Amino acid sequence: MSVAANTQPDQNDPAVRAAQEERLRAVWSPPRGLFLRWTDTNNNAVGIWYTLTAFGMLLFAGVLALIMRAQLAVPENDLVSASTFNQLFTLHGSMMMFLFAVPMFEAVSVLILPQLLGARDLPFPRLSAFGYWSFLIGGVFVAGSIFFDAAPDGGWFMYPPLSTEPSTAGIGADIWMLGLSFIEVSSIAAAVELIVGVLKCRPPGMRLNLMPLYAWYILVVAVMILFAFPPLIAGDILFEMERLLDWPFFDAKRGGDPLLWQHLFWIFGHPEVYIIFLPSIAIFAMVIPTFAQRHLLGYPWIVLAAVGTGFLSFGLWVHHMFATGMPNISLGFFSAASEAVAIPTAVQIFVFIATIWAGRVVWSTPMLYGAGSLAIFVIGGLTGVMVAAAPFDWQAHDTYFVVAHLHYVLIGGSVLPLFAGLYYYWPLVTAKKLSDRLGRIAFWMMFVGFNLGFFPMHISGLMGMPRRVYTYSEALGVGTLNLLSTLGAFLFAAGVAVVVVDLCLSPRRPRVPRNPWNAGTLEWLEFSQQENWGVRSVPLIESRYPLWDQPGFLRQVDEGRYFLPDAEEGYRELMITSVLDGRPLQVARIGGPTPIPMLAAIALGGVFILTTYHLYWSALASGLAALAVILWWLWTGTSLIPEKPEKHAGLGVVLPLYASGPASSGWWAMFITMIGDATAFAGLIFGYFFFWTVHADFPPEPLPGQAGPGAYWPMVALALILAGWVLTIAARETNARGRVGLARAALAVAAAATGTGGLAGLAGPWRAGLDPALHVYPAIVWVLVIWTAVHAAFGVVMQLFALARSLVGRMTPVYDGDVRNITVYGHFLALSALITFLVIGFFPRLA
C-alpha cells in the first residue's frame, strides 16, 4: 500500500457521483434473460437462490415428518408400511441435517456476510455458485429418490453392517452415500469461501476485535466444517468401497469392524450439532443489540465462548457410543467433556440476558422468536447433560427420550432462529417488512405445537417407546402421548404455513425506510438489494457499531467518500486487507456472470450419480469432463495479469491490482482447502491404527501373500514424490529470481517425478499380491496408496498447468500466483506421502 497525492475526483459534485454509480451499475448488474440470470455469481443472486432452495428442503422434510407422525398417532396403525416408514425417517433426518441445517447457514452467510463486512462480494463468487449448484443437484438426487421407492432406509447415520450388505440395503444406501458425499463437497467449498471472506475481505480499519459477532461465529463454524466433514468423507470412501468392491472395512469376518464407521461418523456428527447451533447464536448476536439499542456486553467473553464451544465439540463424539461397550476411563472422560461444553454455551446465553437487562428492549417479532428458541434450546441442553451421564444414557439410548432431546436442540438451535433471522433481515432483502401480527400468531403456534409435540416424547421414551419403529403395541401404554405428539407436530406445521403465507403476501406491502430497526452494523448500509454492488463505497471502520458511533458515516458511504467508489476500468473489484488489523493490501478483481460453475457442478455430480448405478465408464467420462471444465475455470478466471500494476483505491491510497503468496486470497484458499484434505487423510490413517488396536495380529500372520508391500517400493515412491516437491519449490524460487527457463524445466521434471512416484506407490501392494477383498489389512493399505496416488496425479495436473501458464506468458516472475499456490498443495502432498509410505512400509513391523 502506498499513499499518493490527492487525485481523487470531487465527491461533492453530484455529476461525478452519478457517473460513478452508473459505472458501478453497469459492472455489477445481473445479466438479462431468465437463463442468463442463473449464471450470475454475485452473492445476492447466489445467496437468495441458495436460501430459497434450503428453505424448500426444510418444507419437504417437514412433510415427511408429518407422515411419520400420522403413522404413529395410534397403536398398530397401517397408514404406511414398515419399508416406507424406514425411508421416511431416514430421508427426514438426512434432509434436516445435510440438506437444510448446514446449507441454510451457508446460504444466509453468502447472502449477508459481504454486507456485514462492508464488502462488495465474497472473494470467490464462482466458488459460491459452484457450491450452490452442487447442493441443488445432490439434494434433488437424494430427496427425489423417495418418489421411486429407492430412498435410503438405514437411518440418517447409515450404520454398517446392515447398510453395507447388498442383501439388506438396496440402491438407497448408495444414493445416500454418494449423493451426500457430493453435498459435503459443496459444504467444504462454502466453508473455504466464508473463511477467506472473513479473514481477507474486511473493510479497512476492521481489526479482529472490531468484527461483527456474526463474522466471528461464521469463522468458527466454517473452521469446524473443515475438521468435521472430512472424517465423514473418509468414512464414505471406506463405506462405498465395501459396497461396490467388497473391501471388508466393516465386515468382522474378514478383520473389519463396524465401530470404525461410528467413530468416523460421530467425529462429524456431534460437532455438526454446534455447526448448526452457533450460526443461530450469531443471529441472536445481531438481533439482541439492535432491539436492546445498545452494544452487546461481554464481547471478548462471547468470542472466547464461541471458540471454546467449537473446540470442545470435537471431544464429545463417543457419548453417542456409550452403549457399544467402552472402558471406564473412556466413559468418564467423554461424559465429563460432554457436560463441560455446557459452560461456554451458558456464557453466550448469559451475555444475551445481560445485554437485554442493561438495554431498553423493544419486544419485536424477531426478539420473540429469539427468546422462544433460546428457551427450547436450554431445555434440550439440560436433557443433553442427562444423556451425557453414561448410566442414564444406557437406559435412554435408542428411546424416544433421545428423539425429544435431539429435536429440542435442533429446533431450538436451528429452525426457530431461522425465523427470527427471517423477520429481522427480510427488509434488507426486499425493502418490505413481514407482518408482525402473522409473525406472532405463527410463533405461538410453533412454540406451543413444538412443546406439545416433543415434550411428551421424554415420557414415552422413559416408558420404553423405542425410536425408529413404525408402529407399537397398545399394551405399551404410550398411545395418548403419541397422539399428543402428532397433534403438536401438525400445530407446529400450521405455524410454518402461516409464515409461508406471510412471505407470499409480502410483495403487496409498502416499502419500508432504510434500516427500519435502527441497527448499528454495516449490513444496513445496503438498501433492499436494489443495487448489486452492495455498499456504495467500502468504508473505513472505527467501531463495532459504526452506524451508531461514527458521525455522518451513512452519508459519507453513500457519497462515495471512502474506498472503491468507482469502477472506471469496468471490473468487479474487492478490497483485500490484512488478516489481523484490516490494513489495505490489494484491489482484487473477481469474475462476473458465467455458466462455468454450473457446468462444473453438473459434470462432477455426474461422477457421483453415475457411480451410484455402477456406470463406471460413464462416471469416468464425467470426471474427465469435470476436470476439463475446472481447468477452463482456472485458466480464464484466476490470476489474470492486469493492464496496470496499481490503482487509486480512494482516500489517497494506491493499491496493487495483483498479489501472490500469503497476501493473496487465492493462497489462503489453497491452504484452507488442504487443511480439510489433510483432515480427511487423517481419518484414513485413524482407520489404519484403529484396526491395529482391535487386532492382536495386524497384519495377520497366517495370511499367505498378504504380509505387506515391503519397504522398497514405498521408499521409492516417497523419494520420487519428495523430489517432485523439492523441484516445485525450486521452480517457485527460480521463477521469482527471473530465471524463467530453469523454472519451467524444474516444473517439467517435478511433474515427471510426482507422477512416477504415484505409480511406484501403487506398485508396492500390486507386486506383493495384496488382495483387498481377502482381509481388511490389504484393503486399508490399498486405500492409503490410492489416496496418495490420486493426489500425486492432481499434483501433476497442477504442475503442468503452471508450466502451461508460464509458456503462454500468464505466469511471470512478478505474476507468480499459480506456482506459489501449487507449492502449498505440494507441501501437503509431501506430508501425506511421508506418512502413508512410512506407515505401510515400516509399521507395525518391517514386512
Side-chain angles (χ1 to χ4, degrees):
M1 180 184 74
S2 61
V3 179
N6 188 10
T7 59
Q8 289 293 104
D10 183 9
Q11 297 299 137
N12 292 317
D13 186 347
V16 169
R17 297 202 301 267
Q20 291 174 342
E21 291 179 6
E22 188 58 36
R23 286 190 288 268
L24 284 170
R25 189 173 293 112
V27 168
W28 287 93
S29 293
R32 296 181 179 180
L34 181 59
F35 173 76
L36 292 179
R37 280 185 176 270
W38 283 88
T39 68
D40 194 8
T41 57
N42 177 264
N43 75 287
N44 288 342
V46 173
I48 289 172
W49 285 113
Y50 214 147
T51 303
L52 289 174
T53 305
F55 190 70
M57 296 293 179
L58 167 66
L59 297 180
F60 185 68
V63 171
L64 301 181
L66 293 178
I67 299 173
M68 286 190 292
R69 285 313 319 168
Q71 165 65 21
L72 294 172
V74 294
E76 309 290 353
N77 199 0
D78 60 356
L79 177 66
V80 297
S81 66
S83 174
T84 301
F85 188 88
N86 289 342
Q87 294 183 42
L88 289 170
F89 85 74
T90 299
L91 200 55
H92 167 73
S94 300
M95 291 188 67
M96 290 298 293
M97 300 299 284
F98 294 100
L99 299 180
F100 162 68
V102 175
M104 179 58 82
F105 136 69
E106 293 174 333
V108 172
S109 299
V110 167
L111 181 61
I112 70 171
L113 184 62
Q115 283 71 42
L116 271 164
L117 299 177
R120 290 270 160 76
D121 206 330
L122 292 172
F124 309 109
R126 294 183 177 184
L127 187 61
S128 295
F130 171 77
Y132 166 67
W133 287 107
S134 299
F135 161 65
L136 177 64
I137 294 168
V140 170
F141 177 60
V142 174
S145 61
I146 197 165
F147 297 110
F148 303 94
D149 196 29
D153 59 2
W156 75 276
F157 36 79
M158 205 60 66
Y159 283 165
L162 291 178
S163 296
T164 52
E165 178 57 48
S167 63
T168 57
I171 198 172
D174 296 313
I175 291 173
W176 186 93
M177 187 60 57
L178 292 167
L180 294 183
S181 295
F182 186 40
I183 294 166
E184 289 154 17
V185 171
S186 75
S187 296
I188 293 175
V192 172
E193 172 83 300
L194 296 174
I195 292 172
V196 179
V198 170
L199 294 180
K200 299 294 291 179
C201 294
R202 303 195 308 277
M206 184 180 279
R207 304 184 302 274
L208 287 178
N209 67 331
L210 294 183
M211 282 202 312
L213 280 169
Y214 188 93
W216 267 112
Y217 276 99
I218 294 314
L219 180 62
V220 170
V221 170
V223 171
M224 290 175 67
I225 288 174
L226 278 185
F227 288 98
F229 276 70
L232 179 60
I233 293 175
D236 292 347
I237 292 172
L238 303 182
F239 187 104
E240 204 55 39
M241 282 189 163
E242 176 157 336
R243 280 191 57 86
L244 297 180
L245 304 176
D246 194 33
W247 293 12
F249 300 106
F250 310 114
D251 183 357
K253 292 182 294 185
R254 292 178 287 169
D257 194 327
L259 284 183
L260 174 61
W261 170 258
Q262 292 198 33
H263 281 291
L264 293 174
F265 183 87
W266 290 115
I267 287 173
F268 146 81
H270 201 84
E272 194 194 21
V273 172
Y274 295 94
I275 289 170
I276 293 169
F277 167 65
L278 289 177
S280 303
I281 291 288
I283 292 176
F284 300 152
M286 307 308 294
V287 170
I288 288 174
T290 295
F291 293 108
Q293 287 294 289
R294 61 155 300 131
H295 291 208
L296 192 76
L297 295 176
Y299 179 95
W301 289 104
I302 199 169
V303 171
L304 289 174
V307 174
T309 301
F311 179 79
L312 287 174
S313 70
F314 284 90
L316 315 180
W317 83 91
V318 173
H319 81 217
H320 293 274
M321 303 169 59
F322 282 167
T324 62
M326 314 200 72
N328 287 337
I329 189 171
S330 297
L331 292 175
F333 173 82
F334 285 101
S335 181
S338 300
E339 297 180 7
V341 77
I343 297 173
T345 304
V347 168
Q348 297 166 77
I349 293 173
F350 284 128
V351 164
F352 295 145
I353 293 173
T355 302
I356 292 172
W357 199 338
R360 302 177 64 180
V361 178
V362 178
W363 282 101
S364 63
T365 302
M367 279 290 286
L368 191 62
Y369 280 95
S373 63
L374 283 177
I376 289 173
F377 182 83
V378 167
I379 294 174
L382 293 174
T383 57
V385 172
M386 295 170 67
V387 296
F392 182 85
D393 181 79
W394 291 333
Q395 304 303 314
H397 189 77
D398 273 349
T399 71
Y400 259 77
F401 187 94
V402 176
V403 176
H405 159 69
L406 177 67
H407 285 82
Y408 265 85
V409 169
L410 295 182
I411 300 294
S414 177
V415 177
L416 286 181
L418 167 67
F419 292 115
L422 178 67
Y423 277 84
Y424 182 66
Y425 280 119
W426 193 253
L428 181 68
V429 178
T430 67
K432 311 286 183 70
K433 283 182 70 174
L434 295 173
S435 167
D436 282 330
R437 180 171 174 270
L438 290 178
R440 291 171 186 269
I441 291 172
F443 167 77
W444 287 111
M445 291 175 71
M446 284 190 275
F447 187 79
V448 173
F450 174 82
N451 285 286
L452 178 63
F454 289 96
F455 193 84
M457 292 183 186
H458 295 101
I459 303 171
S460 60
L462 293 176
M463 292 177 64
M465 173 79 177
R467 63 193 300 194
R468 311 184 196 111
V469 293
Y470 86 105
T471 190
Y472 53 94
S473 171
E474 187 172 358
L476 192 59
V478 294
T480 301
L481 293 170
N482 273 291
L483 181 59
L484 288 174
S485 293
T486 298
L487 293 174
F490 276 87
L491 180 59
F492 183 89
V496 175
V498 171
V499 173
V500 173
V501 170
D502 198 4
L503 294 174
C504 294
L505 294 176
S506 173
R508 303 181 181 180
R509 298 191 178 111
R511 297 174 69 87
V512 295
R514 190 181 193 179
N515 192 8
W517 308 119
N518 189 31
T521 44
L522 286 177
E523 71 270 30
W524 296 101
L525 285 174
E526 184 169 352
F527 185 60
S528 77
Q529 311 286 345
Q530 268 189 326
E531 304 288 0
N532 267 19
W533 64 56
V535 292
R536 172 65 176 82
S537 58
V538 178
L540 180 66
I541 299 303
E542 301 170 3
S543 163
R544 293 175 189 143
Y545 297 91
L547 270 66
W548 289 343
D549 300 340
Q550 294 182 222
F553 180 77
L554 187 61
R555 174 182 54 80
Q556 293 181 63
V557 170
D558 286 348
E559 292 178 355
R561 298 184 183 276
Y562 288 113
F563 298 97
L564 300 184
D566 203 348
E568 59 266 33
E569 295 90 2
Y571 291 98
R572 296 184 176 187
E573 294 175 331
L574 300 178
M575 179 80 75
I576 302 298
T577 55
S578 58
V579 171
L580 295 179
D581 56 2
R583 179 171 41 86
L585 298 177
Q586 178 200 1
V587 174
R589 291 173 172 174
I590 59 176
T594 174
I596 292 177
M598 179 174 61
L599 296 176
I602 292 171
L604 186 59
V607 176
F608 291 90
I609 295 170
L610 292 169
T611 301
T612 301
Y613 298 100
H614 303 177
L615 301 172
Y616 300 119
W617 286 109
S618 298
L620 176 61
S622 188
L624 293 175
L627 178 61
V629 174
I630 291 170
L631 290 175
W632 175 28
W633 175 354
L634 296 173
W635 188 270
T636 59
T638 62
S639 302
L640 297 179
I641 297 177
E643 76 284 354
K644 57 184 180 181
E646 57 189 18
K647 72 170 288 181
H648 291 274
L651 297 182
V653 174
V654 178
L655 294 175
L657 287 168
Y658 187 94
S660 63
S664 72
S665 55
W667 185 93
W668 280 89
M670 176 64 82
F671 179 75
I672 293 165
T673 302
M674 294 315 299
I675 289 177
D677 183 85
T679 306
F681 173 70
L684 297 178
I685 291 292
F686 171 83
Y688 184 96
F689 285 99
F690 175 84
F691 291 127
W692 174 67
T693 62
V694 299
H695 289 287
D697 54 340
F698 189 82
E701 293 284 358
L703 203 61
Q706 305 295 311
Y712 176 75
W713 283 108
M715 292 306 99
V716 170
L718 177 60
L720 287 167
I721 290 176
L722 291 180
W725 169 57
V726 171
L727 286 166
T728 303
I729 296 173
R732 180 193 66 189
E733 298 303 316
T734 53
N735 181 73
R737 290 174 173 79
R739 304 176 70 180
V740 176
L742 187 59
R744 291 171 179 170
L747 282 173
V749 178
T754 303
T756 307
L759 293 174
L762 295 172
W766 179 268
R767 292 180 65 87
L770 292 180
D771 182 0
L774 186 63
H775 189 270
V776 74
Y777 171 70
I780 194 67
V781 168
W782 268 109
V783 164
L784 291 174
V785 297
I786 289 173
W787 174 276
T788 306
V790 169
H791 280 70
F794 282 121
V796 171
V797 171
M798 293 182 186
Q799 290 156 342
L800 294 178
F801 179 85
L803 176 59
R805 300 270 289 187
S806 177
L807 290 171
V808 301
R810 293 197 173 194
M811 188 180 82
T812 70
V814 175
Y815 303 102
D816 61 349
D818 296 306
V819 71
R820 291 188 179 276
N821 291 348
I822 69 167
T823 303
V824 175
Y825 180 89
H827 296 335
F828 284 88
L829 172 60
L831 180 62
S832 297
L834 181 68
I835 294 172
T836 293
F837 295 124
L838 288 180
V839 165
I840 68 171
F842 295 102
F843 189 90
R845 66 172 187 271
L846 180 60

